[in-house]
Amino acid sequence: FSAILDSVGVDQPEWAEVATVDEAKAFANRVSYPVLLRPSYVLSGAAMNVVWEESDLEYKLSAAASVSPKHPVVITKFIDNAQEIDVDGVAYKGELLVHAVSEHVENAGVHSGDATLVLPPFSLDTSDMARLKEVAKKVAKALEISGPFNMQIIKKPAEDGSDAELKVIECNLRASRSFPFVSKVLGHNFIDTATAAITGVNVPEPIDLMERQHDYTSIKVAQFSWTRLGGADPYLGVEMASTGEVASFGRDVHEAYWASLQSTTGFKLPAKGSGVLIGGDITKPEMKTIAKSLIDMSFKLYCSSSEVEDFLNALPYVGVKKIFFPLRDKRKLREVFDEYDIQTVINLAKSRGKDASDEDYVARRNAVDFGLPLLNNPRTAQLFVESLERKIPQGTLCVGTLCVGTLSVGFGGTLEVGFGGTLNVGIATVVARFSIYRKS
């Protein structure tokens, strides 16, 4: 696959096959950390890990090798702070028939099945879209694809102001979990087109759906089942953790995201002025902006780390209080949450907890166990806060000419409208129903 990409001029991150720790160390030192370890022949990113420093390399390399011991481990240069983009497509005899470009809210490093997907993309310009289509066309032709395919592409802005680098990190010759999503959002049945391409019967002419303009945005968010996995770390990484998904429409990315969040099982809207437990990696730029926005909205900030306390209290007009944080006594921790009225947890940790007494792990795990909203990624936490800023003045979300609490997309193909401010639209009919609803 790598050789094929090279032959058609499609870029990719640097990589190598390694069979020993010394080979892995040599590669990592040459390309610089972080690097991504990937076992051979696994699904959903099993045992994949991002390694940030040499001290972690041997342990995580052993974990990767144990999953597929008869095959080499692939080590790849991990591009930090890069945007990830999904391209779903259908081709016939190597010719691209139709494609959809969705962008991830999270930076690269979160499995695409767990990522927050936005369509139409809100930050990609016309040049990006044209280049992404060209990449899809080149790959489809090189692989002589007849049927559906899905690609993940990394976008890394160039430091000199030139076009951003686009690097292919994956291509799957199958329909992805995002096919129903892009079909309904764009009003084109990708599976019908894929079936025609596979059978060679009634193959349609190529069409560029991404050239059309839309007066709405749709977002697909992941649904997790952390409460059913006692002790599991609610952390998002390269290994897939979600068990479902919810998609919603809105007039813009904030409205669509808020509707999607409220449609996930167990989401509770935090009361204005309530407490927020904030923690994690202080080098994340979002830490500053999130804290400042929450203070401006009259939320109270609490933390368990002296490092986070010093960092946030050094910011102008931001105040955070370090609280007693029992790591091993869940009952006492529940009392602390109640005492400070903590209704939301934002944890921007760089990696998973090393053990059960890790502060960030305890914060994430107990947010789930206490039934509180958990924001565990910098980009989605920033989007959550921005959406909250717009939500509070409105008091409710407005979609079209009607104010509703939630617009949620499921798979039942039904339309349910109640008087409680909730609109549930089945995914089988969501585009048509939404169009009718908007016109009325």
Side-chain angles (χ1 to χ4, degrees), residues 155-420:
K155 176 189 173 186
K156 179 68 173 179
E159 296 180 358
D160 59 1
S162 57
D163 285 338
E165 299 176 23
L166 296 177
K167 297 178 183 288
V168 172
I169 58 173
E170 192 171 320
C171 179
N172 299 294
L173 302 184
R174 53 157 173 76
S176 75
R177 66 181 60 80
S178 49
F179 258 53
F181 173 67
V182 302
S183 294
K184 292 307 172 182
V185 175
L186 299 179
H188 180 96
N189 193 320
F190 274 58
I191 291 300
D192 277 356
T193 303
T195 303
I198 292 170
T199 60
V201 178
N202 297 324
V203 179
E205 291 297 314
I207 182 174
D208 191 343
L209 299 174
M210 300 310 298
E211 288 184 340
R212 298 176 180 174
Q213 298 299 311
H214 302 277
D215 62 350
Y216 58 85
T217 296
S218 189
I219 290 187
K220 179 171 74 70
V221 302
Q223 173 75 57
F224 298 93
S225 299
W226 302 117
T227 53
R228 298 190 178 189
L229 302 170
D233 188 352
Y235 175 84
L236 298 185
V238 290
E239 187 170 356
M240 185 175 167
S242 62
T243 54
E245 51 202 8
V246 178
S248 299
F249 287 89
R251 290 177 299 189
D252 55 39
V253 65
H254 298 99
E255 186 175 276
Y257 181 64
W258 192 258
S260 294
L261 271 187
Q262 292 204 95
S263 302
T264 56
T265 302
F267 178 83
K268 296 178 181 177
L269 180 65
K272 186 176 180 180
S274 61
V276 177
L277 180 67
I278 188 168
D281 184 5
I282 61 173
T283 66
K284 298 293 184 184
E286 292 87 356
M287 180 74 83
K288 295 180 182 179
T289 55
I290 288 170
K292 179 65 168 59
S293 295
L294 289 170
I295 289 293
D296 290 345
M297 289 186 284
S298 302
F299 287 93
K300 299 177 180 66
L301 299 186
Y302 301 101
C303 68
S304 60
S305 161
S306 297
E307 183 182 42
V308 172
E309 178 189 31
D310 293 341
F311 174 76
L312 292 181
N313 281 332
L315 300 176
Y317 311 111
V318 174
V320 61
K321 179 179 180 179
K322 183 184 175 184
I323 59 175
F324 170 63
F325 197 76
L327 299 176
R328 297 187 179 275
D329 191 325
K330 188 180 288 287
R331 181 183 60 82
K332 287 185 178 179
L333 185 59
R334 174 77 260 189
E335 291 173 355
V336 171
F337 274 57
D338 290 342
E339 178 183 354
Y340 295 103
D341 192 25
I342 294 173
Q343 297 185 17
T344 308
V345 175
I346 296 177
N347 188 272
L348 311 183
K350 192 174 186 178
S351 58
R352 295 182 186 277
K354 294 184 177 180
D355 52 48
S357 61
D358 181 279
E359 271 188 0
D360 291 322
Y361 162 76
V362 172
R364 291 192 297 269
R365 183 64 235 181
N366 285 282
V368 170
D369 291 341
F370 297 161
L372 303 178
L374 170 65
L375 287 305
N376 53 4
N377 178 271
R379 297 294 300 277
T380 51
Q382 181 68 58
L383 182 56
F384 171 81
V385 171
E386 291 174 0
S387 302
L388 196 59
E389 286 178 311
R390 290 160 174 78
K391 169 72 175 176
I392 286 177
Q394 294 176 356
T396 183
L397 279 177
C398 294
V399 182
T401 59
L402 178 66
C403 289
V404 298
T406 304
L407 173 63
S408 66
V409 182
F411 291 87
T414 60
L415 176 66
E416 298 176 1
V417 183
F419 294 96

